């Protein structure tokens, strides 16, 4: 079979992905093997593949593929999230373009449009993940609003309500005037903005010309003021106790109250109280039994209750009311002011604090076992630095507002009766039965029930994801007993509370244990200047374009080359290009090995036998390092280990050592060993580069239909001979010195050299002479008892090597070079001696560190002695 001169990913990637799918190699079902389970962080159905998805899913795929090859029953569950706010906004925009207003539709009609949009767009991102090589069990694909997941969400709500953990109440919530829904505290992003601070005079009732001054960034909210508050300890305002002031523009009289909440040092010491539009004002209003006047409509325009500027947008009113206050004489002054303002994460609208009747989940009791699990490492974070952030969240957890004023989502399973009471049930039929019992009216019909209009927060479905993907609320389903708890979760640290913490809470609440054992936090993908990637900046490449240009393997390698766990990564296109270059290096090595003529009768050279022996130990050594990296979730480091093992040790050393002479065949034993090692290397590479490793593995040896590297076993690990490896490293160093000597002296490779060896204290392993002889073309290697004058020399540790090149040596140049080397070595020794002469260092440093310094001292002293001897010889 002729092997293509260049590797072309476009010819292999689609072919092998189809093969894996056709053979059912991604599928998993319970058996006697140890399960390895990963659930995908479900991307929004509104989304398309971006660089963050590329990184996250590459890491998941690496972990899953490696687990398969270690003999585990790997199950990677894919799926998407219905994304209530984002999807509803997309559908509303689409309808608007068609001339349809959401409010003109019934709920059922709107949902038909939403499902149609989801059916059309929802699977796009999962299809794109296939291009990346994601080895998910696609038969298990889930959607947070499919029937099984929806049933789980409803069952969970009912269970939590029955335990007294869900309640309905009027609370101050974060209101998104664009999405027209409440959002949780975690969905509010605070940004520093340039604002104004308005100083306003409120006239004291019955005392013309007497004023109190307050400062506010939101003058439009004075229309909802119901008090002015001062600190009871503030001497400046004692005379105002029990008096009232007039709200500017309205003339409405409101009381002056006293509350220790007021900071006497901040602003004017007087605070306007607007209970309907500020969380702190709301709490003060509750303490003092103040009236609450809601002056804003849901869309951010002023309501009838405001009395002025009705129907105008809140920000337009802020400009207009400034003019009106100036004209009325109530505006004392305006100053520039920087403050933090909350924005909706989904719509970027400025959040309004708003009093609203909502459904809440009590979080205190749920948070405790979830906090203990992480702090005790029952659930391990990688890197562990995120434990502190997690602890901060969990120790300050607030009740979760779980209701949303939307139509797209899981409708809250609460039914109201005509008398205002309600029942909670999984189905309408169960609700009717409960209502009849509760009311004592056995004849009650469905027309007497009205289901709550709101839906649940999107996260109220995704927090159950590791449970519901295995239908874990169905007592007849046993799969969850096998696959749960899952093994590893790979996600971004930006949703540590939104999702990770809540899943851990749900795990303990519903299954009595953690949902996953390990959490690997990826960083944010940034451009090479450190900026967040975004469409607006135009600095985010299309992942599919990258795959088309560099191949999926190249892009996967590129993502990992700059990807420390939990740290942000700086990406530019030189990285996937480096990945593609690595693919080409692998392919060229494959063509070299498969291109050799093989002789069954040829004797195996001793140099090849030694090379095979060495690489077997070197492979085992690096496999131990790779396993250690994976155990610590250092996935990028694991890739670099495989990368350097293949590029440097296998290609640049091993293949050079065994390569037959020009136009000569290779012996069968050596070739078989080379193919076997190539097979091992493809196994180590496969989790990172699934496509090229499959292509080469299939061609290395005859394969049967249905066979695949992805379901074959990783090479077995065993102890390795570290002494052999240390000895061989000395030989490699000697080879590099001879190559440098040839280059510096312009001695062509075809000219054989003599090499003489003056063995030092650390010895010289003569058994590797055949390797040395082959790689640098030596005529002979001779052990000598004393230095040979007029020879070019170099040192490896304390052993000195001589190459007789008297005719070509410039004595003056050589002396200059040796003296410079002596000066450097003496300086180095001086630095080491200072360290060893420092009693605090010797007493305080680890034993191994001190031993290393002592070894450096011995090596430097030996080298200085040899250099001085060589200088004396030349002089």
């Amino acid at each position: 079979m002729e092997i293509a001169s260049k590797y072309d990913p476009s010819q292999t990637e689609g072919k092998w992905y189809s093969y894996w799918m056709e053979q059912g190699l991604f599928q998993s079902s319970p058996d006697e093997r140890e399960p390895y389970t990963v659930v995908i962080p479900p991307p929004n159905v509104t989304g398309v593949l971006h660089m963050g998805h590329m990184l996250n899913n590459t890491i998941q795929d690496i972990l899953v593929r490696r687990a398969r090859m270690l003999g585990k029953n790997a199950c990677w569950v894919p799926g998407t999230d219905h994304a209530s706010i984002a999807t509803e906004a997309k559908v509303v925009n689409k309808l608007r373009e068609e001339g349809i207003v959401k409010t003109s539709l019934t709920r059922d009609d709107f949902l038909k449009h939403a499902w149609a949009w989801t059916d059309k767009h929802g699977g796009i991102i999962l299809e794109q993940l296939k291009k990346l090589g994601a080895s998910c069990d696609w038969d298990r694909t889930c959607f947070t609003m499919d029937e099984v997941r929806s049933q789980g969400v409803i069952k969970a709500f009912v269970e939590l309500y029955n335990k007294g953990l869900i309640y309905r109440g009027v609370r101050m919530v974060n209101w998104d005037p664009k999405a027209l829904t409440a959002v949780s505290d975690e969905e509010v992003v605070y940004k520093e903005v340039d604002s104004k601070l308005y100083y306003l005079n409120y006239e004291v009732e019955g005392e013309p010309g007497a004023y109190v001054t307050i400062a506010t960034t939101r003058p439009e909210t004075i229309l909802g003021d119901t008090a002015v508050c001062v600190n009871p300890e503030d001497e400046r305002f004692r005379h105002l106790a029990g008096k009232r002031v007039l709200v500017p523009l309205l003339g409405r009289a409101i009381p002056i109250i006293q509350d220790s909440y007021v900071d006497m040092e901040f602003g004017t010491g007087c605070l306007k109280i607007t209970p309907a539009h500020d969380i702190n004002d709301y709490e003060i209003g509750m303490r003092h039994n103040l009236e609450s006047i809601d002056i804003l409509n849901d869309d951010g325009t002023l309501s009838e209750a405001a009395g002025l500027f009705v129907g105008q947008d809140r920000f337009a009113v802020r400009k207009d009311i400034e003019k009106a206050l100036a004209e009325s004489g109530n505006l004392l002054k305006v100053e520039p002011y920087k403050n933090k303002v909350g924005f909706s994460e989904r719509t970027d609208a400025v959040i309004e604090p708003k009093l609203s009747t909502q459904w809440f989940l009590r979080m205190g009791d749920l948070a405790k076992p979830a906090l203990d699990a992480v702090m005790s490492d029952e659930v391990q974070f990688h890197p562990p630095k995120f434990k502190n952030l997690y602890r901060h969240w969990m120790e300050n957890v607030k009740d979760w507002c779980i209701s949303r004023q939307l139509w797209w989502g899981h409708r809250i399973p609460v039914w109201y009766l005509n008398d205002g009471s309600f029942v909670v049930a999984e189905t309408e039929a169960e609700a009717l039965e409960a209502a009849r019992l509760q009311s004592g009216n056995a004849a009650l019909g469905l027309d007497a029930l009205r289901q709550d209009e709101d839906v649940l927060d999107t996260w109220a479905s995704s927090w159950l994801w590791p449970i519901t993907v295995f239908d874990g609320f169905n007592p007849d389903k046993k799969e969850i007993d096998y696959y749960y708890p899952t093994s590893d979760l790979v996600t971004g640290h930006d949703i540590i509370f939104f999702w990770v913490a809540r899943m851990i809470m749900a795990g303990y609440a519903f299954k009595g244990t953690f949902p996953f054992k390990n959490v690997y936090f990826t960083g944010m993908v940034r451009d090479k200047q450190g900026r967040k990637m975004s469409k607006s900046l135009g600095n985010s490449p299309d992942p599919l374009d990258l795959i088309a240009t560099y191949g999926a393997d190249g892009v996967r390698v590129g993502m990992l080359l700059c990807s420390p766990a939990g740290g942000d990564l700086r990406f530019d296109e030189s990285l996937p290009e480096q990945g593609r270059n690595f693919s080409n290096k692998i392919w060229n090595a494959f063509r070299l090995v498969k291109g050799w003529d093989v002789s069954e009768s040829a004797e195996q050279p001793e140099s090849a036998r030694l090379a095979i022996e060495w690489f077997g130990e070197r492979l085992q050594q690096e496999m131990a390092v790779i396993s250690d990296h994976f155990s610590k979730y250092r996935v990028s480091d694991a890739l670099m280990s495989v990368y350097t093992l293949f590029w440097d040790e296998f290609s640049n050393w091993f293949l050079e050592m065994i390569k037959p002479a020009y136009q000569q065949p290779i012996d069968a034993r050596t070739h078989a060993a080379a193919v076997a090692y190539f097979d091992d290397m493809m196994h180590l590479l496969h989790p990172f580069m699934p496509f090229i490793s499959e292509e080469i593995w299939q061609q290395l040896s005859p394969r049967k239909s249905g066979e695949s590297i992805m379901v074959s076993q990783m090479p077995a690990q065993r102890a390795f001979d570290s002494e052999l490896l240390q000895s061989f490293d000395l030989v490699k160093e000697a080879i590099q010195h001879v190559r440098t000597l040839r280059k510096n002296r312009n001695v062509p490779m075809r000219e054989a050299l003599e090499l003489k060896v003056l063995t030092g204290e650390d010895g010289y392993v003569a058994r590797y002479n055949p390797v040395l002889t082959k790689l640098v073309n030596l005529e002979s290697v001779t052990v000598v008892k004393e230095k040979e004058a007029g020879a070019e020399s170099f040192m490896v540790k304390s052993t000195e090597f001589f190459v007789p090149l008297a005719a070509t040596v410039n004595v003056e140049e050589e002396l200059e070079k040796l003296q410079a080397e002596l000066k450097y070595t003496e300086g180095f020794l001086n630095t080491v001696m200072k360290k060893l002469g420092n009693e605090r260092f010797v007493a305080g440093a680890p034993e191994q560190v001190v031993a290393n310094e002592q070894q450096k001292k011995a090596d430097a002293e030996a080298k200085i002695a040899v250099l001085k001897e060589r200088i004396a010889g030349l002089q």
Side-chain angles (χ1 to χ4, degrees):
M1 177 182 173
E2 189 174 338
I3 300 169
S5 60
K6 284 191 174 180
Y7 177 65
D8 184 356
S10 68
Q11 298 299 307
T12 58
E13 292 180 351
K15 173 182 74 176
W16 290 118
Y17 203 88
S18 297
Y19 176 81
W20 295 329
M21 291 283 283
E22 287 159 11
Q23 300 295 331
L25 300 180
F26 301 154
Q27 292 170 357
S28 172
S29 56
D31 59 26
E32 71 286 347
R33 289 176 295 168
E34 177 190 346
Y36 176 83
T37 318
V38 173
V39 295
I40 203 170
N44 290 353
V45 286
T46 56
V48 292
L49 199 62
H50 61 60
M51 297 302 286
H53 293 132
M54 292 279 280
L55 173 64
N56 184 290
N57 286 282
T58 293
I59 291 169
Q60 287 178 83
D61 194 47
I62 289 166
L63 296 175
V64 169
R65 286 180 181 273
R66 185 167 188 273
R68 251 189 225 110
M69 297 172 80
L70 291 173
K72 296 177 184 177
N73 186 352
C75 179
W76 183 10
V77 183
T80 49
D81 191 296
H82 65 280
S84 289
I85 295 176
T87 304
E88 184 146 325
K90 293 268 189 186
V91 177
V92 167
N93 289 339
K94 175 182 174 291
L95 292 172
R96 190 184 296 122
E97 290 167 6
E98 296 169 6
I100 302 170
V101 180
K102 176 190 170 185
T103 50
S104 69
L105 297 174
T106 66
R107 186 187 193 108
D108 286 345
D109 285 341
F110 177 80
L111 289 175
K112 285 176 186 172
H113 285 286
W115 277 109
W117 191 93
T118 300
D119 290 343
K120 182 177 179 181
H121 298 277
I124 290 174
I125 194 165
L126 298 183
E127 289 303 311
Q128 292 174 327
L129 286 176
K130 293 177 182 178
K131 298 279 187 191
L132 184 66
S135 60
C136 303
D137 185 346
W138 298 108
D139 293 343
R140 292 181 175 272
T141 302
C142 301
F143 177 48
T144 50
M145 268 180 63
D146 64 26
E147 188 177 347
V148 170
R149 266 43 66 184
S150 295
Q151 285 175 355
V153 170
I154 300 307
K155 282 176 182 288
F157 183 99
V158 173
E159 184 177 327
L160 291 168
Y161 176 80
N162 290 336
K163 288 179 177 177
L165 293 173
I166 287 179
Y167 64 94
R168 188 168 183 251
V170 177
R171 294 285 187 279
M172 183 72 71
V173 297
N174 305 300
W175 187 262
D176 182 335
K178 188 171 181 181
L180 301 177
T181 181
V183 296
S184 67
D185 291 343
E186 293 73 42
E187 292 167 296
V188 179
V189 179
Y190 288 91
K191 305 176 190 177
E192 192 173 82
V193 298
D194 291 317
S195 298
K196 294 178 180 178
L197 195 58
Y198 302 83
Y199 289 82
L200 307 181
N201 283 334
Y202 287 53
E203 187 174 356
V204 180
E205 185 182 34
E207 298 182 24
Y211 297 94
V212 296
T213 305
I214 65 94
T216 180
T217 58
R218 305 191 62 200
E220 68 277 10
T221 63
I222 67 170
L223 305 175
D225 284 356
T226 56
V228 165
C229 190
V230 297
N231 192 300
E233 303 298 320
D234 199 329
E235 297 285 348
R236 293 173 295 174
F237 305 113
R238 283 274 168 85
H239 67 288
L240 296 174
K243 295 186 179 183
R244 298 161 73 83
V245 293
L246 303 176
V247 177
L249 304 181
L250 294 177
R252 174 161 48 81
I254 58 175
I256 295 174
I257 62 171
Q258 296 180 323
D259 195 290
S260 57
Y261 170 80
V262 179
D263 182 353
M264 292 187 287
E265 303 299 321
F266 182 75
T268 65
C270 288
L271 196 66
K272 66 189 271 318
I273 305 299
T274 319
H277 298 289
D278 182 275
I279 183 63
N280 298 310
D281 291 8
Y282 171 70
E283 289 170 359
I284 291 170
M286 293 288 283
R287 287 198 291 274
H288 294 270
N289 201 26
L290 296 176
E291 181 187 6
S292 185
I293 303 171
D294 189 349
I295 63 161
L296 287 173
N297 296 315
D298 288 351
D299 63 357
T301 58
L302 267 66
S303 68
E304 294 285 345
L308 297 172
F309 309 106
V310 175
Q312 288 184 237
D313 182 78
R314 53 190 169 150
F315 295 118
V317 173
R318 185 172 299 176
K319 292 178 182 176
D320 293 345
I321 205 168
E322 181 181 351
K323 294 173 191 170
L325 288 164
E327 290 168 5
S328 70
N330 293 99
L331 183 62
L332 180 65
K333 61 178 177 177
V334 181
E335 294 177 346
Y337 186 70
K338 282 192 183 292
N339 64 327
K340 287 199 170 180
V341 174
F343 290 78
S344 169
E345 185 189 46
R346 295 293 181 194
T347 65
D348 206 37
V350 174
I351 287 295
E352 278 295 341
K354 182 178 173 66
L355 278 176
S356 182
T357 302
Q358 303 284 348
W359 288 95
F360 294 88
L361 175 59
R362 299 184 203 279
M363 300 292 276
D365 290 345
L366 293 173
K368 189 177 185 315
L371 174 59
D372 292 344
V374 171
M375 301 321 292
S376 68
D377 286 334
E378 188 170 42
V379 175
Q380 290 191 310
F381 281 5
H382 307 275
K385 66 179 181 181
F386 290 108
K387 288 169 68 172
N388 288 331
L389 175 63
Y390 179 86
R391 182 175 63 196
H392 173 75
W393 273 111
M394 300 298 271
E395 288 179 346
N396 296 280
V397 71
K398 294 177 183 174
D399 286 358
W400 177 9
C401 175
I402 56 173
S403 45
R404 297 290 180 268
Q405 289 64 57
L406 301 166
W407 282 348
W408 176 247
H410 300 98
R411 195 167 177 182
I412 289 177
V414 173
W415 282 261
Y416 299 93
L417 284 69
N418 292 333
D419 62 2
S421 63
F422 61 83
V423 293
V424 176
E426 291 181 26
T427 64
E428 189 177 57
E430 289 178 13
L432 180 59
E433 188 179 332
R436 285 172 175 169
L437 280 171
Q438 185 170 298
S439 65
N441 182 358
L444 203 68
L446 284 173
D447 56 347
L449 296 182
R450 175 182 58 83
Q451 188 174 358
D452 198 303
E453 290 291 319
D454 290 352
V455 299
L456 288 166
D457 177 12
T458 296
W459 299 101
S461 55
S462 51
W463 81 315
L464 304 172
W465 188 244
I467 300 171
T468 56
V469 295
F470 299 112
D471 200 2
F473 285 93
N474 181 347
D476 297 329
K477 286 281 185 177
K478 299 301 180 190
E479 271 200 341
I480 191 159
D481 297 335
Y482 179 76
Y483 289 116
Y484 187 95
T486 67
S487 307
D488 297 327
L489 177 75
V490 180
T491 187
H493 54 76
D494 53 328
I495 53 174
I496 193 168
F497 188 75
F498 275 128
W499 194 45
V500 178
R502 287 172 176 165
M503 281 191 289
I504 298 172
M505 289 187 228
Y508 284 98
F510 297 109
K511 302 305 293 180
T513 188
F514 50 84
F516 29 72
K517 182 61 187 162
N518 297 284
V519 185
Y520 177 102
F521 289 108
T522 63
M524 184 176 287
V525 184
R526 298 184 180 275
D527 67 13
K528 58 185 173 184
Q529 295 173 42
R531 300 175 302 173
K532 184 178 177 180
M533 287 191 166
S534 68
K535 287 182 182 176
S536 59
L537 287 175
N539 64 346
S540 182
D542 183 327
L544 296 182
D545 289 345
L546 290 175
I547 289 172
T549 306
Y550 301 107
D553 289 332
V555 175
R556 288 164 68 112
V557 169
M559 294 300 294
L560 284 172
L561 287 175
C562 61
S563 172
D568 289 352
L569 52 144
R570 298 198 173 195
F571 181 87
D572 71 84
E573 288 206 26
S574 67
L575 293 163
E577 184 178 12
Q578 191 176 338
R580 181 181 63 186
N581 293 345
F582 186 39
S583 292
N584 292 336
K585 176 78 171 180
I586 296 165
W587 190 254
N588 289 338
F590 169 60
R591 289 182 66 236
L592 177 71
V593 170
K594 291 297 280 186
W596 287 332
D597 288 329
V598 181
S599 167
E600 294 292 337
S601 58
E603 287 286 318
Q604 182 182 48
E606 181 63 7
S607 57
R609 189 192 67 76
L610 292 165
I612 292 163
E613 177 186 60
W614 162 74
F615 190 74
E617 301 308 305
R618 184 69 188 84
L619 178 69
Q620 287 296 329
Q621 181 187 41
E622 204 60 34
M623 281 168 59
V625 171
I626 293 163
S627 293
D628 183 59
H629 285 323
F630 271 109
S631 74
K632 295 180 172 73
Y633 291 82
R634 296 197 298 242
V635 180
S636 294
D637 293 339
L639 167 65
M640 285 310 302
S641 284
V642 182
Y643 185 101
T644 53
L645 179 65
F646 187 92
W647 194 297
D648 297 338
E649 308 287 51
F650 182 72
S651 293
N652 293 357
W653 282 104
F654 175 71
L655 294 184
E656 280 298 308
M657 290 178 197
I658 65 166
K659 188 167 68 174
Y662 181 63
Q663 291 188 336
Q664 295 298 308
I666 188 170
D667 70 279
R669 286 176 66 188
T670 300
H671 189 258
V675 168
Y677 283 151
F678 217 119
D679 189 294
D680 289 339
M681 290 304 309
M682 291 306 97
H683 279 81
L684 296 182
L685 275 165
H686 179 76
F688 307 99
M689 305 177 79
F691 294 109
I692 191 171
S693 56
E694 182 76 79
E695 175 72 16
I696 289 175
W697 186 82
Q698 293 282 351
Q699 294 189 47
L700 270 175
S701 302
R703 309 292 178 195
K704 296 173 188 171
S705 175
E707 281 192 294
S708 169
I709 189 172
M710 68 174 280
V711 288
S712 61
Q713 294 294 292
M714 275 285 180
Q717 284 186 244
R718 58 166 173 78
F720 57 88
D721 187 339
S722 55
E723 284 188 18
L724 182 153
L725 291 170
Q726 286 168 8
S727 299
F728 209 89
D729 282 344
L730 300 180
V731 176
K732 285 164 68 180
E733 195 177 331
I735 289 166
Q736 287 166 326
H737 276 295
V738 177
R739 285 172 172 170
T740 302
L741 183 150
R742 280 187 179 276
K743 183 181 175 185
N744 291 344
R745 297 289 176 228
N746 294 316
V747 181
M749 190 64 182
R750 65 177 177 274
E751 186 179 317
L753 298 173
E754 289 180 61
L755 185 66
K756 302 192 177 184
V757 185
L758 183 60
T759 306
E761 288 175 14
D762 39 38
Y764 168 70
V765 184
R767 67 185 288 249
Y768 294 122
N769 284 350
V771 174
L772 191 60
T773 300
K774 175 182 169 59
L775 288 189
V776 290
N777 188 18
L778 298 178
E779 183 181 296
S780 62
V781 181
T782 313
V783 175
V784 295
K785 297 291 186 186
E786 56 185 30
K787 178 188 176 328
E788 183 168 315
E792 180 84 358
S793 66
F794 58 84
M795 294 188 68
V796 176
K797 288 221 167 202
S798 62
T799 294
E800 192 168 8
F801 295 80
F802 304 93
V803 179
L805 287 172
T808 60
V809 172
N810 181 315
V811 173
E812 201 171 297
E813 275 183 19
E814 188 67 13
L815 272 172
E816 193 176 322
K817 190 174 81 173
L818 289 170
Q819 282 163 345
E821 193 175 351
L822 176 63
K823 185 177 179 183
Y824 169 80
T825 309
E826 286 175 336
F828 175 76
L829 177 61
N830 190 40
T831 304
V832 174
M833 293 303 290
K834 279 181 183 175
K835 268 191 188 179
L836 290 172
N838 183 334
E839 289 181 13
R840 286 178 63 190
F841 168 77
V842 174
E847 189 178 325
Q848 186 57 49
V849 171
V850 176
N852 288 345
E853 293 302 316
Q854 288 169 336
Q855 184 60 50
K856 287 178 189 176
K857 171 179 175 285
D859 289 347
E861 286 172 341
K863 189 170 184 179
I864 286 167
V866 170
L867 286 168
K868 284 180 176 178
E869 192 180 328
R870 285 169 63 185
I871 289 167
L874 284 171
Q875 286 172 336

